[in-house]
Amino acid sequence: MHNFVGLSPYLSEEHLTMFKSGSKPSDWQVQPPSLEQLASLLKGQLEHIKSQLETRNLEEKANKPLSVYGNDMESIGELLNFAFIMKGSILGI
């Protein structure tokens, strides 16, 4: 989200590098976080996003659009909806 709507990064640079698009575990040079650490980070992400966006208009255009499977998301609200859907599918909710 930080690239698209101007949030301060939530994850460390190390985590961003490990989990960026196209990365794979065989490329990692450091010990990966545990499943418990990842779950904790994922849960804390919601509060971070809320604190960063609570005064912003959800119809506001993002810094850059995100295109996934041919669907263009251009507003902060569209990007948030996508992020929450992805989080729900990862957590099984």
Side-chain angles (χ1 to χ4, degrees):
M1 290 294 291
H2 71 275
N3 287 333
F4 295 95
V5 299
L7 297 181
S8 62
Y10 175 69
L11 298 175
S12 69
E13 189 61 40
E14 187 175 80
H15 286 126
L16 292 173
T17 299
M18 288 175 71
F19 299 110
K20 69 181 179 184
S21 180
S23 66
K24 56 188 180 294
S26 63
D27 294 336
W28 296 347
Q29 302 295 314
V30 296
Q31 181 69 26
S34 68
L35 183 57
E36 292 79 19
Q37 290 169 316
L38 287 175
S40 177
L41 286 169
L42 191 56
K43 290 175 184 174
Q45 206 171 33
L46 180 60
E47 193 58 41
H48 175 74
I49 291 170
K50 180 181 173 186
S51 71
Q52 297 271 311
L53 294 179
E54 64 189 350
T55 60
R56 308 250 318 251
N57 181 340
L58 296 181
E59 296 299 320
E60 179 184 332
K61 293 289 185 190
N63 295 343
K64 61 182 180 179
L66 174 65
S67 182
V68 178
Y69 304 116
N71 296 307
D72 293 330
M73 293 164 271
E74 298 180 351
S75 72
I76 290 174
E78 290 170 327
L79 289 166
L80 279 174
N81 280 332
F82 175 73
F84 293 140
I85 289 169
M86 292 305 297
K87 179 180 176 182
S89 68
I90 291 169
L91 296 177
I93 53 175

